[in-house]
Amino acid sequence: MARRDFIIHTPEEIERIRVAARMTAIARDQIAEQVHPGMTTKELDDLAGAIIRASGGVSAFHGYHGYPGNVCISVNDEVVHGIGNPFRVLNEGDVVSIDVGIQYNGAMGDTAKTVYVGKEIPPAEKRLLEGTRLSLEAGIKAAKNGGFVRDISKAVERVAKEHSLGVVRDFVGHGCGIALHEPPEVPNFAAATKGPRLVPGMVLCIEPMLNLGSYKIYVEKDQWTVRTADGSKSAHFEHMILITEGQVEVLTRV
Ligand code: MF3
Ligand code: CO
Ligand code: CO
């Protein structure tokens, strides 16, 4: 059977998705502000749980395929899907990716950012965080009504290469809105096919996962935590965008 390869949301759905996305963006920044040296990543996940509850929504990740955390917390060589750990103390020099998903009123938000623990960010970490953030911005800029998913992918990949960062290929962005993961896939590299055309009502998560070293990754024995194969540090930024007749709307920008 032919699977639908993209989803167009109705205006009524889009109203609810906008609200959930905005709640998620606010929670993302509140959680990121809590990061400080000396805390454990489990403490950070507990704080995230409290922030999500206070928002009025529920974690979109907790229980998703059995995921145990409230949010994903991925430190240094952890790329994505890291789980808060009571024995992992954050130290100055760590880079921490925080990925937040909130379900509210039947709609989903999904957004991520990476922060540096400490005051003076060293040049390599700065290149990693700025390069990843800028690759996401380039992807957003490349998303145009009437264009193709691959336009986004190419722009992300170009900026990643300009910063000499490895582009993770085994995990990709995605449609989002009513389910956490909807079609289509949004790769961070130019795939062989153009992918679907971008049309009004599409909601996409663009989420570059870039490494200081090789693009290669592996999944840990816990079946969740994704790590770089070479142990290099990794960053992850994610925004949800809505394709409209005119300018693209970034639903997770606050
Ligand atoms: N937030 C991830 C994404 O951006 C998905 C996390 S699923 C979880 O697509 F189960 F690990 F939380
Ligand atoms: Co996410
Ligand atoms: Co996502």
Side-chain angles (χ1 to χ4, degrees):
M1 198 181 85
R3 194 174 62 94
R4 240 179 343 171
D5 66 356
F6 61 92
I7 290 181
I8 307 298
H9 291 288
T10 66
E12 183 276 328
E13 287 173 341
I14 289 166
E15 273 317 305
R16 288 187 287 126
I17 294 166
R18 268 204 192 94
V19 172
R22 187 173 172 78
M23 286 170 61
T24 312
I26 291 167
R28 172 202 65 211
D29 291 349
Q30 288 175 338
I31 295 162
E33 274 173 27
Q34 296 298 320
V35 172
H36 59 266
M39 82 192 311
T40 70
T41 57
K42 174 67 165 76
E43 286 172 328
L44 183 59
D45 189 73
D46 289 343
L47 285 167
I51 288 167
I52 291 170
R53 269 192 300 283
S55 80
V58 300
S59 166
F61 301 165
H62 186 80
Y64 181 80
H65 294 282
Y67 184 76
N70 294 307
V71 295
C72 297
I73 303 170
S74 308
V75 183
N76 294 341
D77 64 317
E78 297 173 356
V79 178
V80 286
H81 305 166
I83 300 164
N85 178 335
F87 302 106
R88 179 60 167 93
V89 178
L90 293 178
N91 296 304
E92 198 149 324
D94 288 337
V95 302
V96 184
S97 299
I98 297 159
D99 192 343
V100 185
I102 293 181
Q103 183 173 23
Y104 177 73
N105 195 19
M108 291 287 180
D110 180 16
T111 180
K113 64 158 42 166
T114 302
V115 297
Y116 177 75
V117 183
K119 290 184 183 71
E120 248 355 55
I121 183 163
E125 281 80 355
K126 190 175 167 77
R127 173 164 60 84
L128 174 65
L129 267 56
E130 277 301 286
T132 309
R133 192 181 63 76
L134 290 171
S135 74
L136 170 56
E137 291 302 322
I140 293 169
K141 261 213 185 88
K144 296 249 160 64
N145 180 19
F148 290 92
V149 166
R150 193 169 58 183
D151 303 340
I152 299 171
S153 306
K154 277 184 180 163
V156 171
E157 184 175 39
R158 175 176 47 77
V159 173
K161 293 229 160 101
E162 282 168 9
H163 289 81
S164 306
L165 298 170
V167 179
V168 171
R169 303 174 72 89
D170 298 329
F171 294 86
V172 295
H174 52 94
C176 186
I178 298 302
L180 177 59
H181 293 138
E182 298 175 347
E185 292 193 344
V186 183
N188 297 304
F189 56 91
T193 58
K194 290 198 289 257
R197 203 179 268 283
L198 302 175
V199 293
M202 274 176 100
V203 177
L204 301 175
C205 286
I206 308 176
E207 50 177 312
M209 291 150 262
L210 306 186
N211 304 340
L212 269 179
S214 160
Y215 70 92
K216 290 183 183 153
I217 58 93
Y218 69 95
V219 181
E220 246 188 41
K221 284 186 289 291
D222 67 12
Q223 299 289 318
W224 282 108
T225 312
V226 178
R227 287 184 189 268
T228 60
D230 61 8
S232 66
K233 288 180 175 171
S234 186
H236 179 214
F237 285 78
E238 175 174 25
H239 271 309
M240 259 173 104
I241 64 164
L242 168 70
I243 309 297
T244 74
E245 300 282 347
Q247 284 276 99
V248 159
E249 243 181 84
V250 184
L251 303 179
T252 45
R253 189 111 68 200
V254 289

mmCIF file of all heavy atoms in Angstrom, residues 171-175 181-182 184-188 204-209 238:
data_model
loop_
_atom_site.group_PDB
_atom_site.id
_atom_site.type_symbol
_atom_site.label_atom_id
_atom_site.label_comp_id
_atom_site.label_asym_id
_atom_site.label_seq_id
_atom_site.Cartn_x
_atom_site.Cartn_y
_atom_site.Cartn_z
ATOM 1 N N PHE A 171 20.053 9.618 11.622
ATOM 2 C CA PHE A 171 18.884 10.244 12.229
ATOM 3 C C PHE A 171 18.595 11.515 11.451
ATOM 4 O O PHE A 171 19.519 12.183 11.000
ATOM 5 C CB PHE A 171 19.123 10.533 13.716
ATOM 6 C CG PHE A 171 19.268 9.275 14.521
ATOM 7 C CD1 PHE A 171 20.504 8.649 14.640
ATOM 8 C CD2 PHE A 171 18.158 8.688 15.110
ATOM 9 C CE1 PHE A 171 20.641 7.459 15.347
ATOM 10 C CE2 PHE A 171 18.278 7.503 15.815
ATOM 11 C CZ PHE A 171 19.527 6.885 15.939
ATOM 12 N N VAL A 172 17.317 11.837 11.303
ATOM 13 C CA VAL A 172 16.910 12.922 10.405
ATOM 14 C C VAL A 172 15.766 13.723 11.025
ATOM 15 O O VAL A 172 15.144 13.276 11.995
ATOM 16 C CB VAL A 172 16.448 12.345 9.038
ATOM 17 C CG1 VAL A 172 17.608 11.675 8.304
ATOM 18 C CG2 VAL A 172 15.286 11.366 9.199
ATOM 19 N N GLY A 173 15.494 14.882 10.461
ATOM 20 C CA GLY A 173 14.302 15.633 10.832
ATOM 21 C C GLY A 173 13.061 14.967 10.251
ATOM 22 O O GLY A 173 13.154 13.940 9.559
ATOM 23 N N HIS A 174 11.908 15.584 10.488
ATOM 24 C CA HIS A 174 10.643 14.877 10.229
ATOM 25 C C HIS A 174 9.458 15.838 10.250
ATOM 26 O O HIS A 174 9.533 16.913 10.852
ATOM 27 C CB HIS A 174 10.443 13.818 11.324
ATOM 28 C CG HIS A 174 10.570 14.396 12.712
ATOM 29 N ND1 HIS A 174 9.498 14.836 13.437
ATOM 30 C CD2 HIS A 174 11.655 14.651 13.484
ATOM 31 C CE1 HIS A 174 9.918 15.318 14.604
ATOM 32 N NE2 HIS A 174 11.227 15.227 14.662
ATOM 33 N N GLY A 175 8.368 15.378 9.653
ATOM 34 C CA GLY A 175 7.097 16.052 9.859
ATOM 35 C C GLY A 175 6.684 15.898 11.318
ATOM 36 O O GLY A 175 7.134 14.988 12.008
ATOM 37 N N HIS A 181 6.283 12.103 15.320
ATOM 38 C CA HIS A 181 7.003 11.872 14.067
ATOM 39 C C HIS A 181 6.002 11.563 12.961
ATOM 40 O O HIS A 181 5.303 10.563 13.018
ATOM 41 C CB HIS A 181 7.990 10.714 14.211
ATOM 42 C CG HIS A 181 9.119 11.024 15.139
ATOM 43 N ND1 HIS A 181 9.605 10.143 16.060
ATOM 44 C CD2 HIS A 181 9.849 12.142 15.298
ATOM 45 C CE1 HIS A 181 10.594 10.706 16.737
ATOM 46 N NE2 HIS A 181 10.755 11.920 16.299
ATOM 47 N N GLU A 182 5.950 12.447 11.996
ATOM 48 C CA GLU A 182 5.083 12.277 10.833
ATOM 49 C C GLU A 182 5.976 12.286 9.588
ATOM 50 O O GLU A 182 7.093 12.796 9.629
ATOM 51 C CB GLU A 182 4.081 13.451 10.758
ATOM 52 C CG GLU A 182 3.143 13.515 11.968
ATOM 53 C CD GLU A 182 2.224 14.742 11.950
ATOM 54 O OE1 GLU A 182 2.460 15.679 11.153
ATOM 55 O OE2 GLU A 182 1.273 14.756 12.750
ATOM 56 N N PRO A 184 7.155 13.902 6.044
ATOM 57 C CA PRO A 184 8.276 13.183 5.457
ATOM 58 C C PRO A 184 9.505 13.206 6.365
ATOM 59 O O PRO A 184 9.509 13.893 7.390
ATOM 60 C CB PRO A 184 8.565 14.011 4.205
ATOM 61 C CG PRO A 184 8.325 15.421 4.671
ATOM 62 C CD PRO A 184 7.155 15.330 5.637
ATOM 63 N N GLU A 185 10.534 12.479 5.967
ATOM 64 C CA GLU A 185 11.848 12.636 6.583
ATOM 65 C C GLU A 185 12.495 13.906 6.060
ATOM 66 O O GLU A 185 12.281 14.289 4.904
ATOM 67 C CB GLU A 185 12.735 11.431 6.230
ATOM 68 C CG GLU A 185 12.260 10.149 6.872
ATOM 69 C CD GLU A 185 13.290 9.032 6.797
ATOM 70 O OE1 GLU A 185 14.242 9.139 5.992
ATOM 71 O OE2 GLU A 185 13.130 8.065 7.561
ATOM 72 N N VAL A 186 13.282 14.553 6.910
ATOM 73 C CA VAL A 186 14.023 15.757 6.514
ATOM 74 C C VAL A 186 15.506 15.524 6.818
ATOM 75 O O VAL A 186 15.982 15.856 7.906
ATOM 76 C CB VAL A 186 13.493 17.010 7.256
ATOM 77 C CG1 VAL A 186 14.224 18.262 6.772
ATOM 78 C CG2 VAL A 186 11.984 17.167 7.067
ATOM 79 N N PRO A 187 16.243 14.928 5.870
ATOM 80 C CA PRO A 187 17.663 14.636 6.110
ATOM 81 C C PRO A 187 18.494 15.917 6.210
ATOM 82 O O PRO A 187 18.098 16.965 5.694
ATOM 83 C CB PRO A 187 18.079 13.827 4.879
ATOM 84 C CG PRO A 187 16.821 13.419 4.197
ATOM 85 C CD PRO A 187 15.801 14.460 4.554
ATOM 86 N N ASN A 188 19.640 15.792 6.852
ATOM 87 C CA ASN A 188 20.556 16.927 6.965
ATOM 88 C C ASN A 188 21.662 16.877 5.913
ATOM 89 O O ASN A 188 22.685 17.532 6.057
ATOM 90 C CB ASN A 188 21.132 16.966 8.380
ATOM 91 C CG ASN A 188 20.046 17.199 9.402
ATOM 92 O OD1 ASN A 188 19.309 18.189 9.307
ATOM 93 N ND2 ASN A 188 19.906 16.295 10.352
ATOM 94 N N LEU A 204 7.319 20.924 9.676
ATOM 95 C CA LEU A 204 8.541 20.123 9.632
ATOM 96 C C LEU A 204 9.447 20.455 10.808
ATOM 97 O O LEU A 204 9.594 21.627 11.171
ATOM 98 C CB LEU A 204 9.311 20.402 8.333
ATOM 99 C CG LEU A 204 8.591 20.126 7.014
ATOM 100 C CD1 LEU A 204 9.466 20.570 5.849
ATOM 101 C CD2 LEU A 204 8.229 18.647 6.895
ATOM 102 N N CYS A 205 10.069 19.434 11.370
ATOM 103 C CA CYS A 205 11.162 19.636 12.308
ATOM 104 C C CYS A 205 12.464 19.515 11.537
ATOM 105 O O CYS A 205 12.737 18.471 10.924
ATOM 106 C CB CYS A 205 11.133 18.589 13.414
ATOM 107 S SG CYS A 205 9.831 18.890 14.606
ATOM 108 N N ILE A 206 13.241 20.598 11.548
ATOM 109 C CA ILE A 206 14.588 20.576 10.969
ATOM 110 C C ILE A 206 15.533 20.438 12.159
ATOM 111 O O ILE A 206 15.443 21.226 13.105
ATOM 112 C CB ILE A 206 14.885 21.862 10.181
ATOM 113 C CG1 ILE A 206 13.767 22.147 9.161
ATOM 114 C CG2 ILE A 206 16.242 21.776 9.496
ATOM 115 C CD1 ILE A 206 13.947 23.471 8.416
ATOM 116 N N GLU A 207 16.397 19.431 12.121
ATOM 117 C CA GLU A 207 17.204 19.178 13.315
ATOM 118 C C GLU A 207 18.590 18.625 13.009
ATOM 119 O O GLU A 207 18.838 17.436 13.180
ATOM 120 C CB GLU A 207 16.461 18.270 14.299
ATOM 121 C CG GLU A 207 15.869 17.000 13.755
ATOM 122 C CD GLU A 207 15.226 16.175 14.884
ATOM 123 O OE1 GLU A 207 15.869 15.983 15.928
ATOM 124 O OE2 GLU A 207 14.074 15.737 14.701
ATOM 125 N N PRO A 208 19.508 19.508 12.572
ATOM 126 C CA PRO A 208 20.879 19.058 12.345
ATOM 127 C C PRO A 208 21.521 18.481 13.609
ATOM 128 O O PRO A 208 21.399 19.064 14.685
ATOM 129 C CB PRO A 208 21.607 20.328 11.876
ATOM 130 C CG PRO A 208 20.720 21.460 12.269
ATOM 131 C CD PRO A 208 19.332 20.933 12.257
ATOM 132 N N MET A 209 22.169 17.322 13.427
ATOM 133 C CA MET A 209 23.000 16.694 14.460
ATOM 134 C C MET A 209 24.391 16.648 13.872
ATOM 135 O O MET A 209 24.641 15.894 12.925
ATOM 136 C CB MET A 209 22.483 15.271 14.740
ATOM 137 C CG MET A 209 21.126 15.252 15.426
ATOM 138 S SD MET A 209 20.132 13.793 15.014
ATOM 139 C CE MET A 209 19.080 14.473 13.716
ATOM 140 N N GLU A 238 17.126 22.163 16.958
ATOM 141 C CA GLU A 238 15.901 21.757 16.257
ATOM 142 C C GLU A 238 14.831 22.837 16.363
ATOM 143 O O GLU A 238 14.548 23.336 17.444
ATOM 144 C CB GLU A 238 15.362 20.457 16.883
ATOM 145 C CG GLU A 238 14.024 19.989 16.315
ATOM 146 C CD GLU A 238 13.584 18.625 16.862
ATOM 147 O OE1 GLU A 238 14.019 18.253 17.971
ATOM 148 O OE2 GLU A 238 12.800 17.952 16.165
#
